[in-house]
Amino acid sequence: MSQPLEGRSAIVTGAGRGLGRVEALELARLGAAVVVNDHGRPGRDGSGEASAAPAEEVAREIRTAGGTALAHTGDVSDFAAARDLVELAVTEFGTLDILVNNAGILRDRMVFSMTEEEWDSVIRVHLKGHFNTTRFAAAHWRERSKAAGGPVYGRIVNTSSEAFLAGSAGQPNYAAAKGGVVGLTTSTALALAKYGVTANVICPRARTRMTEDVFAGLGLPDEGLDPLAPEHVAPLVGYLASPAAARINGQLLVVHGGMVAVVERPRVRAVFESKLETFSHEELDAVLTPHYAGRPEGETFAAAEVLGLRRGAVTEAGDGNR
């Protein structure tokens, strides 16, 4: 029986641990040959000595299960290392079909205390790292499409966060980076659609080294799979990487604990038009102040207004391009 990704090749970044690991295992289970990328620094803040061990262990795990995998230990926030990563997949497997961007670090601090280095490092790994690999993968698919005279097979799955959707007070760098990943994804989806390539982005909720503080108060269940296990996320990544998801492009999906929520683009809540040639301060005060009256001071929006986070809250899913 053929597998949906048989004959395809994939790159998964940050795949030595956590979400990236289970995503790499899932793509391999579905038949893809996988380049397992991880820089291997032990600290979730990107600190410590780089190590080849995490990437090599996952690649070995895939091969032991009968799959095909290679390890790559470069830092995807480095432009040249990202180029080498894509070239490795193309050289070893003949082509690149799937790119899953997952690598990231945390350096949390309130905005009034954050250092320039804490800001730059998180933006570099998350946002620039996503761009770097996407840039070289996109160039590969464009060249293949021109040579073939038509669309080719290409899938990008990027990783954002609910910190972008609902805010996270102590993570201005992380929230900004994850918002940037969404913008990068939707732009890439539009640019590459004519070449046969799709680009989508997920907001996963999972218990990993990156989220150990967030879910510290939520214990493991007495039996069964942890609702926050990364294994709940991997099937969606495998699906989005597959031929079955050909009509899904430029989409943002939240996934956790057996739930997938399709997030709509922002909607306009209200429109106010000036009765004069342009607005004055007084007229804006007259229309906007009453509109926000009664809201708690300092409120921007509640997470529940953005997406249904409770299981069963999403009643209709969208598909295709938007």
Side-chain angles (χ1 to χ4, degrees):
M1 181 177 179
S2 65
Q3 298 168 294
L5 298 181
E6 186 174 354
R8 306 293 184 188
S9 64
I11 289 171
V12 183
T13 72
R17 306 176 178 92
L19 279 170
R21 173 184 168 273
V22 296
E23 290 166 354
L25 293 175
E26 177 68 4
L27 295 180
R29 188 187 70 81
L30 295 176
V34 182
V35 178
V36 178
N37 163 264
D38 200 290
H39 198 38
R41 294 188 183 276
R44 66 175 184 168
D45 61 351
S47 63
E49 291 295 324
S51 170
E56 290 178 347
E57 287 172 6
V58 176
R60 188 180 307 114
E61 188 175 357
I62 290 172
R63 292 193 296 267
T64 299
T68 301
L70 299 170
H72 180 273
T73 59
D75 180 358
V76 293
S77 70
D78 179 86
F79 197 66
R83 179 192 60 219
D84 293 343
L85 173 59
V86 171
E87 288 180 352
L88 175 64
V90 174
T91 299
E92 295 295 326
F93 302 137
T95 184
L96 172 65
D97 302 299
I98 300 157
L99 171 63
V100 179
N101 283 309
N102 177 73
I105 63 171
L106 289 178
R107 294 194 179 177
D108 296 350
R109 189 91 60 184
M110 297 297 285
V111 68
F112 42 76
S113 302
M114 182 163 287
T115 67
E116 181 180 18
E117 195 278 332
E118 287 167 341
W119 172 271
D120 288 347
S121 61
V122 170
I123 297 295
R124 183 182 69 250
V125 175
H126 287 274
L127 186 52
K128 187 183 178 187
H130 273 61
F131 161 73
N132 285 346
T133 54
T134 297
R135 183 257 183 258
F136 291 108
H140 168 69
W141 288 319
R142 181 171 178 264
E143 290 171 5
R144 279 178 51 199
S145 177
K146 286 187 173 183
V152 296
Y153 190 99
R155 299 285 188 269
I156 299 173
V157 182
N158 287 333
T159 307
S160 184
S161 168
E162 290 171 274
F164 145 72
L165 283 169
S168 182
Q171 297 181 306
N173 48 4
Y174 181 73
K178 291 306 190 182
V181 166
V182 175
L184 171 65
T185 305
T186 54
S187 176
T188 300
L190 291 173
L192 299 186
K194 65 182 180 181
Y195 302 118
V197 179
T198 67
N200 295 288
V201 58
I202 63 171
C203 291
R205 188 188 301 179
R207 195 192 305 270
T208 68
R209 183 180 58 151
M210 292 275 287
T211 60
E212 58 188 9
D213 294 342
V214 177
F215 301 125
L218 299 176
L220 295 170
D222 293 333
E223 59 183 25
L225 185 63
D226 178 8
L228 292 170
E231 286 77 6
H232 290 295
V233 176
L236 177 61
V237 173
Y239 167 74
L240 291 173
S242 76
R247 287 173 49 82
I248 304 175
N249 193 28
Q251 298 293 292
L252 171 61
L253 303 99
V254 175
V255 54
H256 64 86
M259 185 208 79
V260 173
V262 179
V263 181
E264 290 187 334
R265 293 176 186 261
R267 292 183 175 184
V268 176
R269 173 176 290 174
V271 176
F272 303 97
E273 295 183 356
S274 175
K275 296 179 181 179
L276 307 173
E277 184 177 8
T278 188
F279 274 109
S280 65
H281 173 86
E282 292 75 16
E283 189 179 16
L284 288 170
D285 181 31
V287 295
L288 291 180
T289 301
H291 177 71
Y292 288 100
R295 287 186 163 227
E297 185 176 355
E299 180 193 45
T300 53
F301 53 79
E305 295 179 20
V306 181
L307 72 160
L309 294 181
R310 299 181 307 279
R311 190 167 182 175
V314 178
T315 58
E316 182 176 349
D319 65 352
N321 292 292
R322 284 189 188 165

